Amino acid sequence: MKRLTKRENEIMNLFWDKGAMFVKELQNLYSEPRPHINTLSTMVRILESNGFLSHRTYGNTYQYYPVISREEYGKRSLNGIISNYLGNSYLNAVSELVREEKITVAELKALIDEIEKNRK
């Protein structure tokens, strides 16, 4: 799955938070100076072509809606990162988190205890 750019992620978060919208509604969610309607329309069409959005037709306008949830995108992104950059090893991923001090050994032990407790 293609990774979202910063701007695409911003737009997708608005769709994930608000649900189905017309591009004009999307534009109104931005503060001034708002992005141009044509810019947003282009970005939305790109997101649709990449499988993140779809649309319903209402006359000569489209209402767009997300076809992948925020959670599903997160899972796929994490799997892609682990596959592409960490030798497809979840152990390497956890080791890297500990090494970079993003998670402490104590937190890791607490997580293991929680998992073992839930398995029983």
Side-chain angles (χ1 to χ4, degrees):
M1 164 172 276
K2 184 182 178 299
R3 294 199 47 196
L4 295 170
T5 65
K6 183 178 178 182
R7 177 60 70 100
E8 290 170 339
N9 193 63
E10 179 181 292
I11 291 170
M12 283 306 300
N13 276 312
L14 291 170
F15 276 102
W16 286 323
D17 291 342
K18 303 293 183 184
M21 288 184 282
F22 296 95
V23 174
K24 187 67 175 167
E25 293 173 309
L26 176 65
Q27 184 188 38
N28 289 333
L29 295 174
Y30 285 88
S31 57
E32 294 291 342
R34 292 185 171 114
H36 193 275
I37 192 82
N38 291 343
T39 302
L40 285 177
S41 183
T42 298
M43 296 293 297
V44 166
R45 285 194 310 273
I46 290 169
L47 287 165
E48 183 177 29
S49 70
N50 288 331
F52 292 97
L53 297 174
S54 190
H55 72 269
R56 294 180 197 91
T57 305
Y58 293 94
N60 61 351
T61 189
Y62 301 119
Q63 184 184 49
Y64 294 90
Y65 58 93
V67 293
I68 182 170
S69 70
R70 181 183 279 130
E71 294 76 18
E72 182 63 25
Y73 176 70
K75 286 179 192 175
R76 290 183 185 183
S77 295
L78 180 60
N79 289 339
I81 289 168
I82 290 171
S83 174
N84 294 328
Y85 301 108
L86 297 167
N88 206 27
S89 168
Y90 287 83
L91 181 58
N92 286 348
V94 173
S95 295
E96 188 64 27
L97 291 171
V98 172
R99 190 173 19 263
E100 292 291 322
E101 298 180 358
K102 304 294 183 192
I103 186 172
T104 66
V105 174
E107 290 171 325
L108 191 55
K109 287 179 181 177
L111 178 61
I112 291 168
D113 290 343
E114 183 69 27
I115 291 168
E116 287 176 346
K117 185 170 68 172
N118 287 334
R119 282 190 175 171
K120 293 178 183 179

